[in-house]
């Protein structure tokens, strides 16, 4: 793609994240005005999420990622894993429910309860969309094609972010979650998804995607494997903490 | 309720908590010492079978989860005043030993999921690796037998 298209593309992709930060800050202000305080750490986490995602779509890292598969993998971790996790920890739905008037808040609840959301946020659907999407990206020529078509590039990045977010909310319940699954059920799906992610990392190491050098694929495969572990460790920790709290013995409550 | 009664009520939880943590610990030692520090193991060598790769992926994911989960179970036992270090440690050794034995026989040899070390005569390494695993299993089982219900009630303590 030409330089100008690249630049335009980065701004198109950056815009929603900037908007996400503005909307979030407006909501905290609205919530405060209704004398319902919102914790500072959630604002910090959300903002860090925005920074992670912005770094992966605009600026020096994003342009390096265009040419070098290793840096592509760095941006993948930021946009598909760390960014979404930080967004989830920002608890946007809870904030919106506090900040908005009852009528709009009811609309949000209705959306969260709806059938499409139930299907999409099912742990198995979310895992397939997330990890399955990565398998398609790196084991077909989609990765090579993405660098030639503006729209495809855009779609892949939107998918990586949204699927990462969906995957995270399907496993850890920070916001109101009408469709809940047991800890044991989520554990099994989580382990399968983690395994598929690890296997794909090693697959990339052994079989570089089209147009990727062996050394870049090896470095990127290792980064995906260990970087993924690091972020998953945080998700597992939060998951186990919720489990630990919910199984508190009665006499201690 | 006193500690020994709580312990005897949560005998199996002490075992499983240690067992899960033991698997995770063995995997962690394998990863840091043999992969990262010594560079004896390979991240992925091309002789690995497909089954080996899948098995490795699941084992890695499971052990990563059980390291953290096992420690949360310890926290749970402690708040119930039912944590029994001796029994837990028996579980750890059994889990770590079984992991290492499975790794050293099935995963290394059968599925050809990397070897302990490359460009050396491998047999002594394999023997030591699996012998250590069997010793851990033996001590683990010994500790678990020693910490049955009677001991939890303090009869032999």
């Amino acid at each position: 793609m030409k330089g100008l298209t690249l630049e335009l593309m980065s701004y198109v992709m950056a815009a929603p994240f900037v908007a996400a930060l503005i909307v979030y800050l407006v909501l905290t202000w609205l919530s405060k005005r209704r004398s319902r305080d919102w914790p500072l750490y959630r604002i910090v986490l959300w903002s860090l999420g925005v920074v992670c995602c912005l770094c992966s779509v605009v600026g020096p890292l994003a342009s390096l990622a265009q040419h070098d598969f290793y840096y592509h993998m760095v941006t993948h971790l930021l946009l598909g894993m760390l960014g979404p996790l930080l967004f989830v920890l920002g608890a946007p739905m809870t904030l919106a429910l506090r900040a908005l008037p009852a009528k709009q808040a009811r609309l949000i609840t209705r959306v969260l309860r709806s059938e499409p959301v139930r299907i999409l946020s099912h742990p198995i659907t979310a895992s397939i969309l997330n990890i399955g999407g990565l398998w398609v990206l790196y084991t077909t020529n989609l990765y090579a094609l993405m660098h030639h078509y503006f729209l495809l590039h855009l779609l892949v990045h939107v998918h990586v972010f949204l699927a990462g977010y969906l995957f995270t909310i399907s496993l850890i319940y920070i916001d109101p979650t009408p469709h809940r699954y047991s800890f044991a059920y989520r554990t099994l799906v989580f382990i399968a998804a983690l395994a598929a992610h690890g296997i794909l990392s090693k697959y990339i190491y052994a079989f570089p995607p089209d147009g990727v050098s062996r050394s870049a694929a090896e470095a990127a495969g290792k980064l995906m494997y260990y970087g993924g572990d690091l972020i998953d460790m945080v998700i597992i920790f939060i998951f186990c903490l919720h489990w630990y709290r919910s199984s508190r013995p009665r006499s201690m409550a | 309720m006193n500690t020994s009664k709580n312990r005897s009520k949560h005998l199996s939880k002490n075992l499983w908590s240690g067992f899960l943590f033991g698997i995770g610990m063995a995997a962690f030692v394998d990863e840091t010492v043999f992969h990262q520090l010594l560079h004896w193991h390979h991240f992925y060598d091309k002789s690995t079978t497909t089954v080996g790769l899948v098995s490795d992926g699941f084992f890695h994911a499971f052990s990563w989860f059980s390291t953290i989960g096992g420690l949360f179970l310890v926290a749970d036992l402690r708040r119930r005043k039912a944590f029994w270090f001796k029994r837990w440690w028996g579980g750890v050794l059994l889990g770590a030993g079984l992991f290492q034995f499975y790794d050293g026989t099935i995963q290394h040899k059968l599925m050809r999921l990397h070897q302990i070390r490359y460009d050396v005569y491998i047999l002594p390494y394999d023997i030591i690796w699996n012998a250590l695993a069997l010793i851990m299993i033996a001590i683990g089982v010994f500790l678990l037998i020693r910490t049955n219900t009677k001991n939890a009630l303090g009869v032999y303590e």
Side-chain angles (χ1 to χ4, degrees), chain A residues 187 190-192 194-195 199 202 205-206 214 222 225-226 229 233 236-237 239-241 244 247-249 252, chain B residues 31 35-36 42-44 46 53-58 60-62 64-65 68-69 72 75-76 79-80 113:
Chain A
T187 302
F190 200 173
I191 287 175
L194 276 180
I199 294 165
K202 293 200 173 182
Y205 182 95
R214 175 152 296 279
K222 281 187 176 181
Y225 192 81
Y226 295 116
D229 273 1
M233 183 176 74
I236 296 170
F237 182 85
F239 181 85
C240 289
L241 185 66
Y244 175 76
S247 63
R248 178 174 30 211
M252 296 178 57
Chain B
E31 191 61 60
H35 279 270
Q36 305 292 351
H42 283 186
F43 179 70
Y44 176 34
K46 311 297 188 284
L53 203 57
V54 172
S55 150
D56 177 51
F58 271 91
H60 178 73
F62 176 74
W64 200 213
F65 209 107
I68 301 168
F72 268 99
D76 183 56
R79 74 177 166 189
R80 291 171 198 270
L113 178 89

Side-chain angles (χ1 to χ4, degrees), chain A residues 1 19-20 30 35 38 42 45 76 79 92 96 101 104 118 120 147 166-167 174 183 196 201 227 231 233 242 248 250:
Chain A
M1 272 181 282
L30 281 174
S35 63
W38 186 246
R42 294 231 188 262
L45 289 169
H76 155 79
L79 185 70
Q104 275 96 328
R118 186 184 71 81
L120 283 174
H147 289 109
L166 211 57
F167 179 69
I174 305 284
F183 283 106
S201 309
I231 298 164
M233 183 176 74
H242 287 174
R248 178 174 30 211
R250 282 216 183 138

Side-chain angles (χ1 to χ4, degrees), chain A:
Chain A
M1 272 181 282
K2 292 201 190 76
L4 193 66
T5 337
L6 273 177
E7 211 175 310
L8 176 72
M9 185 169 64
S10 3
Y11 290 124
V12 170
M13 292 199 294
F17 295 114
V18 176
L21 183 60
I22 295 170
V23 169
Y24 193 87
L25 291 176
V26 168
L27 286 175
T28 54
W29 177 74
L30 281 174
S31 172
K32 258 198 184 112
R33 219 182 45 164
R34 307 177 73 194
S35 63
R36 289 172 184 179
D37 249 350
W38 186 246
L40 180 68
Y41 78 92
R42 294 231 188 262
I43 304 176
V44 172
L45 289 169
W46 182 272
S47 311
L48 285 174
V50 171
V51 171
C52 283
C53 293
L54 281 178
C55 281
S56 58
V57 294
V58 71
L61 190 60
S63 36
L64 272 174
Q66 289 289 324
H67 312 289
D68 190 323
F69 189 61
Y70 177 77
Y71 288 102
H72 163 82
M73 202 49 85
V74 174
T75 61
H76 155 79
L77 285 175
L78 290 175
L79 185 70
M81 294 186 81
L82 186 57
L85 172 61
L86 290 165
F87 273 105
V88 170
L89 295 177
M93 294 306 159
T94 311
L95 175 63
L97 291 176
R98 282 187 187 202
L100 297 172
K103 207 175 152 194
Q104 275 96 328
R106 264 201 294 277
L107 185 71
I108 291 179
T109 335
R110 208 160 46 234
V111 171
L112 287 178
R113 279 169 200 262
S114 68
E115 191 67 2
V117 170
R118 186 184 71 81
I119 295 169
L120 283 174
S121 68
H122 186 285
I124 291 178
T125 328
S127 299
I128 291 171
L129 283 172
N130 192 27
I131 317 288
L134 294 179
W135 273 92
V136 172
L137 179 61
Y138 297 126
T139 60
T140 66
N141 58 358
L142 182 61
Y143 177 74
L145 279 177
M146 171 185 108
H147 289 109
H148 294 288
Y149 299 100
F150 176 87
L151 209 61
L152 204 57
H153 191 276
L154 192 70
L155 273 175
V156 166
H157 281 73
V158 169
H159 177 88
V160 163
F161 173 76
L162 287 179
Y165 185 82
L166 211 57
F167 179 69
T168 315
I169 59 164
S170 79
L171 293 173
I172 49 174
Y173 301 153
I174 305 284
D175 269 327
T177 312
H179 317 285
R180 289 174 171 258
Y181 298 88
S182 72
F183 283 106
Y185 186 80
R186 281 180 282 154
T187 302
L188 291 179
V189 179
F190 200 173
I191 287 175
L194 276 180
H197 192 265
I199 294 165
L200 180 60
S201 309
K202 293 200 173 182
Y203 186 87
I204 288 171
Y205 182 95
F207 307 101
D210 285 352
V212 172
S213 72
R214 175 152 296 279
S215 62
E218 289 181 356
K222 281 187 176 181
L223 178 73
M224 181 173 168
Y225 192 81
Y226 295 116
D229 273 1
L230 221 56
I231 298 164
D232 286 328
M233 183 176 74
V234 179
I235 302 181
I236 296 170
F237 182 85
I238 295 169
F239 181 85
C240 289
L241 185 66
H242 287 174
W243 199 341
Y244 175 76
R245 284 186 184 152
S246 76
S247 63
R248 178 174 30 211
R250 282 216 183 138
S251 57
M252 296 178 57

Side-chain angles (χ1 to χ4, degrees), chain B residues 1-13:
Chain B
M1 216 186 262
N2 60 27
T3 306
S4 52
K5 261 190 188 159
N6 289 331
R7 278 175 172 181
S8 64
K9 219 174 94 187
H10 294 288
L11 276 184
S12 66
K13 204 176 219 173

